[in-house]
Amino acid sequence: MDLAQIIADEIRADGPIPFRRFMELALYHPRLGYYAGRRDPFGTGGDFYTNAQLQPVFGRLLAQQIERWRRELGCPEDFSVLELGPGRGETETQVRQSIQDIDWIGVDYGDPWPRHPLTGVVLCNEFFDALPVDSVERTSDGWMLRGVGLQGERFCWQTVGPVPADEAWPDIERGRRTESCDGQVAALRRISAALRRGWILVIDYGYTRTEVERAGRFLDGSLMGYSRHRADPDVLLEPGRRDITAHVNFSALEDAAREAGLEVTPVISQQAYLLGLGEPDSFACALAAESEREATRLRMQLKTLLFGLGETFRVLVLRKR
């Protein structure tokens, strides 16, 4: 039985399901979900690229930041890095080459978290965008929850019913849609509770409420499917065989961080953030190479980090003292 059949049977038994449930099954079903490990989703042969594939430059730059933060804390013996959504572990591998004695903990979706709060850094590189979300629509009757039903043998959108407004949602016009961010906010609160003191580094693509309300971004929501490096707005196709993402509501994360007592550095572009990391040594460490061929490859990685992904991704730095 494939995943589409499992989801269809659940809908036939219980009626339309919230999109959050559909997304969770599509991505994280233990045997048939997209991230169940049947196929490597990263790189040329996968469905998308991330910062983590641009090694060693990305890892070297992060290592410089992590080492500066460790020294700022006085190099405590219990300093650790908790990476949420480590993927293939490429970032950990590279950082360990730069900081050989680093304690690194990788946690995937559904894995147990550390039992005790840690001192150090929580790294969230493209973690929040893969958390299941609900889709909501603003109508003349208020906010409505959109669910997934069946039309014949095909999945289709259906209105499930009214849902209370959330102050974190952008103020959009009637007939427009957005995604819930309560899962993202809950994850941030859990991250804050897992950190005794140190920093939370969030790297992801997303938006602020102002960008949606005043600049008109994502007025029909940001849900997107990815397959073979092609984006498709129909996120109901082939569950388990395509990635599904939702842009991160950075305004909601900032608000939740302040409520949790964290210090918030306003969100900036990845380009600006990485330029700040490499400026002290003019990227000498990140671009160190033993041959001209290797040097050229590293320069291309840096270019992509700054001018490809760097113009799309955002960085949010939070601190707990």
Side-chain angles (χ1 to χ4, degrees):
M1 182 178 293
D2 66 12
L3 184 57
Q5 186 63 51
I6 292 174
I7 297 174
D9 287 347
E10 182 172 324
I11 294 172
R12 292 189 183 100
D14 302 325
I17 59 176
F19 179 75
R20 180 194 301 264
R21 172 65 174 166
F22 181 92
M23 184 173 176
E24 182 176 32
L25 288 171
L27 296 182
Y28 301 111
H29 185 281
R31 291 187 296 107
L32 303 173
Y34 181 77
Y35 289 112
R38 293 179 299 164
R39 184 173 67 85
D40 188 352
F42 306 106
T44 304
D47 296 320
F48 52 82
Y49 286 100
T50 72
N51 289 316
Q53 275 77 68
L54 297 171
Q55 303 290 0
V57 174
F58 183 66
R60 289 175 178 177
L61 288 170
L62 282 189
Q64 288 178 282
Q65 177 66 92
I66 291 169
E67 182 59 25
R68 290 170 192 153
W69 281 339
R70 182 165 70 162
R71 291 177 181 176
E72 187 170 342
L73 290 178
C75 297
E77 292 184 359
D78 61 346
F79 185 94
S80 301
V81 176
L82 171 62
E83 183 182 12
L84 301 180
R88 298 187 301 200
E90 293 149 311
T91 300
E92 175 188 358
T93 298
Q94 186 56 51
V95 172
R96 284 187 181 279
Q97 292 184 20
S98 300
I99 312 174
Q100 296 182 1
D101 60 341
I102 194 75
D103 178 34
W104 196 283
I105 306 164
V107 173
D108 267 319
Y109 187 89
D111 288 347
W113 286 39
R115 296 179 60 184
H116 303 290
L118 62 88
T119 295
V121 178
V122 182
L123 173 60
C124 311
N125 180 38
E126 291 193 72
F127 166 74
F128 285 96
D129 69 86
L131 295 178
V133 296
D134 276 320
S135 176
V136 294
E137 181 175 0
R138 190 170 192 180
T139 73
S140 57
D141 296 322
W143 289 94
M144 295 290 170
L145 182 67
R146 303 173 74 221
V148 181
L150 284 172
Q151 190 172 44
E153 298 299 317
R154 295 177 60 86
F155 296 114
C156 64
W157 290 103
Q158 291 187 10
T159 299
V160 175
V163 62
D166 189 322
E167 292 182 357
W169 298 342
D171 184 13
I172 56 178
E173 299 176 354
R174 295 176 182 176
R176 300 294 188 177
R177 307 177 185 100
T178 191
E179 292 82 43
S180 65
C181 54
D182 53 326
Q184 297 172 358
V185 168
L188 181 65
R189 290 172 177 156
R190 186 178 186 185
I191 293 167
S192 177
L195 184 67
R196 180 182 298 108
R197 63 187 181 114
W199 289 264
I200 302 168
L201 178 59
V202 180
I203 305 174
D204 225 315
Y205 44 86
Y207 59 84
T208 65
R209 279 193 294 269
T210 298
E211 289 175 319
V212 172
E213 295 170 355
R214 299 183 184 179
R217 295 190 70 198
F218 305 120
L219 292 180
D220 281 315
S222 67
L223 287 171
M224 192 64 63
Y226 290 91
S227 179
R228 302 297 182 185
H229 300 278
R230 298 182 66 178
D232 190 335
D234 189 347
V235 293
L236 304 185
L237 288 175
E238 300 180 316
R241 300 180 182 178
R242 298 172 176 231
D243 189 25
I244 303 174
T245 70
H247 277 57
V248 177
N249 185 332
F250 277 105
S251 295
L253 293 188
E254 289 179 332
D255 290 345
R258 293 187 181 97
E259 290 175 4
L262 302 174
E263 295 178 7
V264 177
T265 300
V267 63
I268 59 174
S269 70
Q270 177 175 290
Q271 180 186 78
Y273 183 73
L274 294 184
L275 284 171
L277 295 187
E279 183 179 17
D281 69 348
S282 300
F283 292 98
C285 178
L287 298 177
E290 296 182 357
S291 68
E292 183 55 36
R293 181 178 180 180
E294 176 68 4
T296 299
R297 186 177 74 89
L298 299 185
R299 287 194 294 268
M300 291 303 297
Q301 286 186 2
L302 180 60
K303 181 179 179 180
T304 301
L305 285 168
L306 295 178
F307 300 104
L309 299 175
E311 296 172 319
T312 303
F313 281 71
R314 310 287 183 87
V315 176
L316 176 64
V317 179
L318 310 170
R319 183 173 186 180
K320 176 180 278 191
R321 292 187 182 272

